[in-house]
Amino acid sequence: MNIFGTSSGMRRGARASASGTESGSQSAVRAQPGASGAGGPETETKIVLVKRRTRLEELVVRYNTIQQAQFYVERLGADFSDYIREDRVYRAALHEAAETLGRIGRVQQVEREHVPNFIFGERDVVVVLGQDGLVANTLKYADRQPLIGVNPDPRRWDGALLPFTVDDLPAVVRDLLRDKRPTKEVRLAQAELNDGQVLVAVNDLFIGRRTHVSARYELRTNDSAEQQSSSGIIVSTGLGSTGWLRSVLAGASGIAYGAAGERGPRLSPDASFGWDSPYLYFTVREPYPSRSTSADLVFGRIDERNPLKIVSQMPESGVIFSDGVESDYLEFGSGVEASITVAERRGRLAV
């Protein structure tokens, strides 16, 4: 079996400074030739094809050979053939997508770990070969370029952000190039530190301790301020509102009604809180009231006029990370102030 993969780790690509963003390395991108026919590609438009490693590739990187990977998986009682089937289907989808797109434009393949340092051209079309997490991760770095989420294996994966299959690509890409394909705007969350560092999130920001233990900070919203101790703050976008935010609200309502000995409705995000909503919601997890801390400002709305301000009081392991990826973070130590608001950068998903 043809197994490949690089061993380079995830870069902290979301950490941007005033000096700008680092460009992607040549090794991160591989050019695909166009069609072999005399006419070549239909257009000079660059199509960026974002891909990921399969589980099998990750295992081979970790254990060096496919035989050692198989031994590890089967020793735990898992079905190694499922890893092989997933890898085979993904590779076939990747090959077909590259060939199809190569007949339309100039294709560059980009590995997931290189996306944070890759500079997308203003007129690029971005194709992401799923899952949902890869689409969300790419949206953080593609600034208004139209993005097509492709499900490489519909029998295996669901995906709210993967409305298309490889077979749909010719029609969808050509429609986008002719401005005939509708797109849906996605508003993002942004955390900016007082030293200029910025982190953007498609779904959620987490502010707290790396280990999710008690975090100390001052929270400021509107004209109110409060000293707090909690297991962290979650800030959710409209796109992320059906995930972490819904889970927190469901737990809060269940606890409140249960403690009162009643059965009540489960809370859910505002029905109008769509992907393009120009506001965010924050929730404080497990706030602890004491002599020096309070638990009144635990839920609220954030918009451009009313950002959420947080001053860290954590001497160590304070972080802000995005979209559940703890390796994509900003250090948030004592005295550092973060301003949380809606990002100017916006995503565009083809629908």
Side-chain angles (χ1 to χ4, degrees), residues 16-321:
S17 66
S19 60
T21 306
E22 185 180 347
S23 64
S25 64
Q26 292 297 319
S27 62
V29 180
R30 298 193 307 172
Q32 279 298 114
S36 57
E42 299 171 8
T43 174
E44 285 299 306
T45 298
K46 186 174 70 179
I47 303 172
V48 181
L49 177 57
V50 180
K51 60 182 181 178
R52 61 172 179 83
R53 291 177 183 161
T54 63
R55 292 183 299 163
L56 181 59
E57 288 179 294
E58 294 283 2
L59 284 172
V60 171
V61 169
R62 182 176 179 183
Y63 294 105
N64 299 317
T65 69
I66 190 172
Q67 292 79 14
Q68 288 177 319
Q70 182 175 2
F71 173 77
Y72 169 79
V73 170
E74 291 183 343
R75 186 184 64 176
L76 298 176
D79 181 9
F80 189 70
S81 64
D82 185 58
Y83 289 73
I84 295 175
R85 283 193 297 270
E86 178 192 347
D87 182 82
R88 184 183 298 122
V89 171
Y90 188 83
R91 287 178 179 278
L94 178 62
H95 178 76
E96 184 180 350
E99 292 240 329
T100 299
L101 296 172
R103 291 190 285 270
I104 300 173
R106 299 179 298 111
V107 180
Q108 289 186 311
Q109 293 186 26
V110 182
E111 295 282 355
R112 175 178 190 154
E113 61 263 33
H114 296 298
V115 169
N117 292 327
F118 182 79
I119 296 180
F120 293 91
E122 184 178 346
R123 298 184 179 275
D124 289 353
V125 173
V126 184
V127 176
V128 177
L129 202 61
Q131 301 152 288
D132 271 355
L134 183 56
V135 175
N137 187 64
T138 305
L139 271 175
K140 288 193 290 188
Y141 305 102
D143 188 7
R144 296 182 184 271
Q145 290 87 355
L147 189 149
I148 304 168
V150 178
N151 192 333
D153 192 354
R155 293 184 178 181
R156 181 180 298 270
W157 308 118
D158 295 322
L161 305 183
L162 305 172
F164 304 110
T165 65
V166 174
D167 291 340
D168 298 322
L169 277 175
V172 177
V173 173
R174 290 186 177 109
D175 283 350
L176 280 174
L177 294 176
R178 297 167 185 158
D179 292 327
K180 293 183 177 180
R181 169 68 56 171
T183 59
K184 197 168 187 177
E185 185 176 85
V186 179
R187 300 301 299 266
L188 313 181
Q190 174 180 295
E192 183 174 2
L193 304 187
N194 53 357
D195 64 2
Q197 293 188 85
V198 174
L199 181 66
V200 174
V202 174
N203 292 314
D204 315 280
L205 288 168
F206 172 83
I207 304 101
R209 295 278 293 276
R210 186 190 305 276
T211 52
H212 296 251
V213 296
S214 182
R216 289 291 300 267
Y217 52 86
E218 182 183 65
L219 184 148
R220 304 170 187 164
T221 177
N222 296 322
D223 296 325
S224 302
E226 187 171 274
Q227 294 288 327
Q228 290 189 348
S229 175
S230 75
S231 60
I233 304 167
I234 298 165
V235 177
S236 295
T237 66
L239 181 60
S241 64
T242 57
W244 210 345
L245 177 61
R246 174 172 288 179
S247 175
V248 171
L249 291 176
S253 64
I255 291 170
Y257 281 105
E262 302 174 0
R263 299 186 64 181
R266 289 287 184 262
L267 296 175
S268 61
D270 178 0
S272 65
F273 193 29
W275 293 3
D276 59 348
S277 297
Y279 56 90
L280 315 165
Y281 279 114
F282 77 89
T283 57
V284 178
R285 298 197 316 172
E286 302 170 320
Y288 183 75
S290 68
R291 291 182 179 179
S292 58
T293 59
S294 300
D296 295 321
L297 304 177
V298 296
F299 180 80
R301 184 161 145 170
I302 304 168
D303 57 37
E304 294 175 349
R305 294 185 178 181
N306 300 294
L308 181 69
K309 303 282 188 177
I310 306 167
V311 180
S312 174
Q313 297 171 357
M314 295 172 278
E316 60 181 5
S317 69
V319 294
I320 301 175
F321 65 76

